[in-house]
Amino acid sequence: MASIPPFAAHHRKEDDEWQALLAHLTGVSALAQQFAGKLNLGKLGELIGLLHDFGKYSQDFQTYLKSAIGVLNQDEDEDWVDSASLKGKVDHSTAGAQMIWHALNGKGSMYSIAAQVASLCVASHHSGLIDCIAADEARFGEDGFTKRMSKADEKVHLEEAQHVADPAVLARCFELLADPVLIDELTNLLDLVAQTNGANKGSGAHGTFQQFGLVVRFLFSCLIDADRVDTANFEHPRTARFRPTGTYIGWPTLLQRLERHLDAMPPLRAIDGLRRDISNQCRDAASRPGGIYTLTVPTGGGKTLASLRFALRHAERRKLDRIIYVIPFTSIIDQNAQAVRQILEPSFAPEDIGRVVLEHHGSLTPDQQTWREKLLCENWDAPVVYTTMVQFLESLFGSGTRGARRMHQLANAVLVFDEVQTLPIPCVHLFNNAVNFLAERCNSTVVLCTATQPLLHDASLAARGAIRLAEQHELMPDVQGLFEQLKRVDVRDRRKAGGWSHNEVAQLAIAEVSRAGSCLVIVNTKSAARQIFDIASTALDGDSIYHMSTDMCPSHRKEELAKVRLRLTHREPILCISTQLIEAGVDVDFRVVIRFLAGLDSIAQAAGRCNRNGQPERGVVHIVNPQQENLGKLRDISIGREKAQHVMDDYAQAPGRYSDNLLGTEALADYFRHYFFERQKDMSYSVPAKELGHDDDLLNLLSVNKQAVNEHTARHAAPRLFFRQAFMTAGKAFKAIDAPTQGIIVPHGEDGKELINDLCTSFLVEKQFDLLRRAQQYTVNVFPHVLRKLKEAGALYEVKPDTRILCLNPRYYSPRFGLSTEPVSQMETLCASTSPK
């Protein structure tokens, strides 16, 4: 048996090695100091790293750990305890928090503020940030923070820990607690936040205090990631060598690869020349200072590589750490990440394969992860990251520790928000304030990239949060001219009284395939896509009709898109029926598009899939209104459809008012005035009373927390705390409202079957890490009601007991439509791959 240190932090079962608590605390401290240095809070980072597990110096914890490992025997050792019954009940996080609080609180206002920031991070590092003033129904108005700092010593063992702790840890802690620089660093940061928000006319307390809360979450992120990395490196040392830890291939090399690729793309068509001009404008704009910029380019203008050109040059110039692309749909990530990977990870540099571009979209495990599952979670440690808006928002506002762990990676970065018009309306103010914080305080540059720019910067939003754009924010010198030059389609308003039946839409599509050779139908619901497909498939050859929806895993969609593109390239007849996943950023070029009535921004994006490469003969976009459509759970589409009709009616009366372009800048601005600003009451992320016991919103919970504070004041007195946010309540509400999805691994094709078999038989964590990354390509995210149906049908099984990583029975995956809540037909079952039950 290996020697056991006097105070242990972790045990490695594989070779019976122990990690000394001193080694863990100093290791986490060094990493947290490094991460927090991005905000010039290195001393606070070091302090919370040293004290986060300070309670593990207690005899209670050491006995619990050794009993769990089996070092203490129930029959032979009097100290033995039933570790299973004590799991999660031995408090080892409060002691360090109390040590900070007792040392700093009361020495002055800024000392008390620093004490609360650091204590919050330490006390919360297993649960997720706790509420300062509770806002949930059970504890409404309770001062949860002060209660935690007053927890009895017999439960937290602070006095014992201070008596027996390693002298080196104690000495450095006391040195940091006495260092005025620790206070000055935080004071300077909070002053800058207050000044920046106060200097903008109309900015209110909500934006300022939300950003104060983001300071706490940023520091919390540094601690969580440091703790997870140090623990994983000890428990699985073979994985440590695979961590780049910020040491990446240089920006000049990546820039050279991109420029070489662009030089090898000679302009063959008129539109290619325009795309090159757009790319050159982005190249030149990279010399601008940090800030928040807009890149407004019509669909088909080559934004993907143009924005990458800006990002690489800008990151090199400002010596930034990484580039993060935030994408609304996984379908765009599938395409864009692959295109960029082929450029930045070329075959002639095999040592860089898999080391430059990281895709992170969709989660395979529930938010409430086990410790083992948390170790498998990635932390965006890569030079170029592609992720989703959902994952980005989770890193800033979600509950628990998984998303929060990544937040510090958003500093010193270029953040490109592709198709930013798809930002969920409830998140507008939260997003705006957070983006301002990342640009102004975290040294990041932000690019809002779209053909249909929403008005996130409008002054009418300032009271609760408007984006503060750079002085010369638009990267393109002549947006209006670009829209005129890139007008490639004729838009036909085909709305009619009573609407179009599915059969009529199918017949129009079939006729257009016969006339023009290719047609794309974009609908608003999966059921409409299936019904129109079924009707049209009776009249078309099986190789000429395709279906696309999010019920298909990314690998499946990639395969189908490849077939679609091949037929388009060979100009073979083709009809594709898809949900809206195909309309934003997916590189396909149809002669005709039929779009179900939706928001004007969605229609404009759909038009971007038509005549994308600018053939002389314009493409045709038909806008049709379906006879019947159930949009009960698709409120954004429903409201967008209504507001689009207003603009379309106005356009029909006076097209000159919109420069004779229904999809031009004037029409889109008018649409957003109807849609965006008429929904201002929805932009603070409302939380209904059924969730909390009282009506509230996330912006309030994460800033001034007015209702809960008023309740506390009415019962007692005004709380004597600077931070009053209900962090945990807000995080849980964010997930409850956002209808969290569960990732399910599906047995698509032989590769999907093999992957599931490997997951079921793998025992090595580092192999599971790689398998879970691969599994993202074979994952379908389902909403709770779909998950329930699948469970009731017996269609799901775990890869291993108690992992909660779910796989789908092949009888419920269609080679044509993807995941189904009912068994697919016998013929499809024979075509589908098989997997263990």
Side-chain angles (χ1 to χ4, degrees):
M1 178 181 294
S3 61
I4 305 176
F7 299 98
H10 302 105
H11 174 263
R12 187 166 61 227
K13 186 176 181 180
E14 181 180 334
D15 56 2
D16 197 27
E17 284 293 323
W18 294 80
Q19 183 185 35
L21 183 54
L22 173 63
H24 179 59
L25 295 180
T26 55
V28 172
S29 178
L31 287 171
Q33 179 184 26
Q34 174 190 335
F35 299 155
K38 301 172 188 177
L39 242 58
N40 199 30
L41 296 177
K43 290 187 180 295
L44 264 176
E46 183 183 0
L47 178 66
I48 62 177
L50 279 174
L51 289 176
H52 79 288
D53 276 355
F54 195 64
K56 288 186 176 181
Y57 278 112
S58 72
Q59 190 60 42
D60 274 7
F61 181 84
Q62 293 299 314
T63 300
Y64 161 75
L65 178 61
K66 292 169 185 176
S67 297
I69 300 304
V71 172
L72 295 180
N73 186 283
Q74 180 178 4
D75 298 323
E76 299 176 4
D77 297 294
E78 293 182 1
D79 291 340
W80 179 89
V81 295
D82 182 1
S83 59
S85 65
L86 291 175
K87 189 174 182 179
K89 299 178 181 179
V90 181
D91 185 343
H92 65 269
S93 59
T94 304
Q98 286 186 350
M99 183 171 170
I100 298 169
W101 183 248
H102 294 163
L104 296 179
N105 183 43
K107 295 178 65 175
S109 60
M110 285 310 304
Y111 280 84
S112 295
I113 291 172
Q116 192 182 2
V117 170
S119 298
L120 268 171
C121 294
V122 172
S124 306
H125 79 274
H126 278 294
S127 63
L129 281 172
I130 63 173
D131 286 349
C132 297
I133 305 297
D136 61 306
E137 186 173 9
R139 303 176 299 128
F140 187 49
E142 179 183 293
D143 182 349
F145 175 79
T146 301
K147 182 177 180 181
R148 185 73 173 269
M149 294 304 101
S150 304
K151 192 172 180 180
D153 189 68
E154 63 190 43
K155 295 183 178 180
V156 303
H157 307 289
L158 173 59
E159 185 176 341
E160 176 191 356
Q162 287 178 313
H163 182 69
V164 302
D166 290 286
V169 171
L170 285 173
R172 184 54 182 160
C173 285
F174 288 132
E175 185 179 350
L176 288 167
L177 289 166
D179 190 342
V181 176
L182 181 143
I183 307 300
D184 292 343
E185 288 177 349
L186 181 63
T187 301
N188 293 338
L189 177 58
L190 296 182
D191 282 349
L192 286 171
V193 169
Q195 291 167 13
T196 305
N197 284 281
N200 290 274
K201 185 178 180 181
S203 293
H206 287 89
T208 303
F209 274 86
Q210 185 196 331
Q211 290 194 359
F212 287 157
L214 288 172
V215 172
V216 177
R217 190 171 176 96
F218 189 97
L219 196 63
F220 179 67
S221 170
C222 298
L223 174 61
I224 296 302
D225 197 27
D227 186 21
R228 301 297 186 262
V229 168
D230 184 80
T231 301
N233 286 351
F234 167 74
E235 294 188 346
H236 313 289
R238 283 175 293 182
T239 66
R241 65 179 182 270
F242 295 113
R243 296 184 190 278
T245 57
T247 304
Y248 310 135
I249 187 172
W251 297 124
T253 300
L254 297 180
L255 256 174
Q256 185 182 51
R257 291 173 183 176
L258 176 61
E259 294 296 338
R260 183 186 298 116
H261 175 81
L262 295 174
D263 289 342
M265 297 172 60
L268 302 176
R269 299 155 295 194
I271 196 171
D272 294 332
L274 285 173
R275 289 168 177 164
R276 174 161 289 189
D277 290 343
I278 291 167
S279 176
N280 290 340
Q281 293 291 346
C282 285
R283 175 199 62 197
D284 297 341
S287 61
R288 299 185 191 183
I292 303 175
Y293 296 96
T294 55
L295 175 58
T296 310
V297 175
T299 53
K303 292 189 296 295
T304 299
L305 295 186
S307 62
L308 180 66
R309 201 177 191 189
F310 169 90
L312 287 171
R313 286 185 174 272
H314 191 77
E316 179 192 31
R317 177 185 172 277
R318 296 193 57 221
K319 296 179 171 58
L320 301 178
D321 296 337
R322 64 183 46 80
I323 297 165
I324 300 178
Y325 273 85
V326 181
I327 314 285
F329 309 118
T330 56
S331 57
I332 307 177
I333 295 181
D334 296 343
Q335 170 185 288
N336 291 7
Q338 179 63 21
V340 170
R341 183 179 287 108
Q342 290 175 349
I343 297 169
L344 301 185
E345 299 177 2
S347 57
F348 62 76
E351 68 279 5
D352 293 332
I353 301 298
R355 295 181 180 271
V356 178
V357 179
L358 169 69
E359 291 181 65
H360 180 214
H361 51 85
S363 173
L364 299 172
T365 57
D367 285 337
Q368 303 303 318
Q369 295 173 301
T370 65
W371 176 251
R372 181 168 171 272
E373 290 165 349
K374 288 176 182 176
L375 295 179
L376 302 177
C377 190
E378 295 171 273
N379 64 346
W380 293 352
D381 187 7
V384 180
V385 178
Y386 278 83
T387 190
T388 63
M389 180 64 80
V390 169
Q391 294 290 345
F392 172 79
L393 295 173
E394 277 290 326
S395 73
L396 294 167
F397 312 120
S399 61
T401 60
R402 184 182 60 181
R405 174 183 178 180
R406 308 181 188 107
M407 182 190 171
H408 74 92
Q409 304 286 36
L410 299 172
N412 295 338
V414 181
L415 307 176
V416 181
F417 293 91
D418 198 9
E419 309 297 353
V420 70
Q421 81 283 353
T422 62
L423 172 71
I425 286 293
C427 296
V428 165
H429 290 309
L430 293 171
F431 175 85
N432 289 350
N433 292 326
V435 164
N436 289 337
F437 176 77
L438 293 171
E440 295 164 353
R441 302 281 69 86
C442 298
N443 194 41
S444 289
T445 292
V446 174
V447 181
L448 307 177
C449 186
T450 180
T452 53
Q453 201 72 240
L455 307 177
L456 296 172
H457 61 286
D458 192 272
S460 66
L461 301 179
R464 288 190 150 226
I467 274 185
R468 295 191 277 268
L469 297 174
E471 186 174 349
Q472 293 183 323
H473 62 85
E474 178 53 56
L475 302 186
M476 291 296 104
D478 183 11
V479 173
Q480 181 65 36
L482 275 181
F483 272 79
E484 292 174 0
Q485 293 178 76
L486 286 171
K487 186 176 181 181
R488 311 180 303 273
V489 301
D490 289 327
V491 180
R492 299 179 184 177
D493 183 356
R494 301 290 300 272
R495 293 175 297 162
K496 64 180 182 180
W500 289 66
S501 69
H502 288 156
N503 183 66
E504 289 174 319
V505 173
Q507 297 308 318
L508 174 62
I510 293 167
E512 287 291 48
V513 171
S514 177
R515 180 189 68 84
S518 65
C519 178
L520 171 65
V521 181
I522 304 179
V523 300
N524 296 323
T525 66
K526 296 174 186 177
S527 62
R530 290 195 178 197
Q531 290 179 57
I532 294 172
F533 177 92
D534 286 340
I535 296 169
S537 62
T538 61
L540 294 174
D541 178 83
D543 291 334
S544 62
I545 183 168
Y546 293 84
H547 165 275
M548 300 285 293
S549 85
T550 53
D551 278 339
M552 302 156 67
C553 68
S555 177
H556 193 173
R557 295 199 300 269
K558 283 181 180 179
E559 291 173 10
E560 295 302 291
L561 271 173
K563 297 174 186 176
V564 168
R565 291 190 179 110
L566 188 62
R567 291 189 71 88
L568 289 170
T569 299
H570 293 163
R571 299 192 177 185
E572 297 172 320
I574 182 171
L575 171 61
C576 181
I577 298 107
S578 175
T579 58
Q580 57 268 33
L581 69 87
I582 202 172
E583 72 185 7
V586 179
D587 187 6
V588 288
D589 185 8
F590 287 83
R591 293 302 306 159
V592 178
V593 168
I594 302 171
R595 182 57 169 98
F596 272 28
L597 185 62
L600 201 63
D601 56 335
S602 293
I603 295 171
Q605 295 292 342
R609 307 319 112 197
C610 184
N611 195 20
R612 189 174 181 84
N613 291 318
Q615 298 298 322
E617 181 185 354
R618 286 189 176 182
V620 176
V621 176
H622 300 284
I623 304 174
V624 300
N625 55 324
Q627 272 183 3
Q628 53 185 3
E629 194 172 35
N630 182 9
L631 299 180
K633 295 182 179 180
L634 301 171
R635 184 166 179 259
D636 289 348
I637 295 177
S638 180
I639 296 175
R641 181 176 63 177
E642 175 191 347
K643 303 308 178 185
Q645 291 200 89
H646 290 314
V647 177
M648 293 172 69
D649 291 344
D650 290 344
Y651 180 87
Q653 295 295 319
R657 173 185 168 189
Y658 299 103
S659 301
D660 297 311
N661 188 354
L662 180 59
L663 304 181
T665 55
E666 297 102 326
L668 287 166
D670 202 11
Y671 164 75
F672 277 116
R673 274 190 290 271
H674 280 88
Y675 174 77
F676 199 75
F677 295 116
E678 288 183 18
R679 295 194 64 188
Q680 286 194 40
K681 64 181 182 299
D682 299 329
M683 294 181 180
S684 298
Y685 218 117
S686 297
V687 185
K690 66 180 181 180
E691 300 289 340
L692 299 180
H694 68 283
D695 289 326
D696 215 322
D697 61 67
L698 257 66
L699 178 61
N700 176 63
L701 294 172
L702 291 171
S703 56
V704 296
N705 199 15
K706 182 178 180 180
Q707 284 90 319
V709 169
N710 287 345
E711 178 69 16
H712 182 277
T713 302
R715 292 183 189 176
H716 311 287
R720 300 178 64 181
L721 296 173
F722 181 79
F723 294 94
R724 301 175 174 185
Q725 288 91 336
F727 293 112
M728 183 168 287
T729 298
K732 291 179 178 178
F734 179 82
K735 293 303 297 179
I737 297 172
D738 198 44
T741 57
Q742 166 74 57
I744 296 173
I745 306 173
V746 298
H748 170 66
E750 289 303 314
D751 288 344
K753 172 187 173 182
E754 180 182 351
L755 172 69
I756 290 174
N757 286 334
D758 286 346
L759 277 168
C760 291
T761 57
S762 173
F763 292 96
L764 295 178
V765 171
E766 53 265 41
K767 186 175 181 181
Q768 290 179 338
F769 185 87
D770 177 65
L771 291 173
L772 289 175
R773 291 185 63 177
R774 284 174 50 203
Q776 291 183 358
Q777 292 299 309
Y778 295 89
T779 299
V780 174
N781 293 309
V782 301
F783 287 97
H785 70 283
V786 176
L787 183 66
R788 185 174 59 253
K789 286 183 180 180
L790 292 170
K791 286 182 176 179
E792 291 172 352
L796 302 174
Y797 60 94
E798 291 182 306
V799 295
K800 287 179 183 173
D802 300 323
T803 61
R804 292 178 292 166
I805 299 175
L806 299 176
C807 296
L808 185 72
N809 185 303
R811 294 178 58 240
Y812 291 81
Y813 196 81
S814 162
R816 180 67 79 177
F817 299 115
L819 183 144
S820 172
T821 56
E822 297 179 356
V824 300
S825 69
Q826 181 65 29
M827 183 172 293
E828 287 189 314
T829 301
L830 292 174
C831 295
S833 61
T834 60
S835 65
K837 295 183 179 180

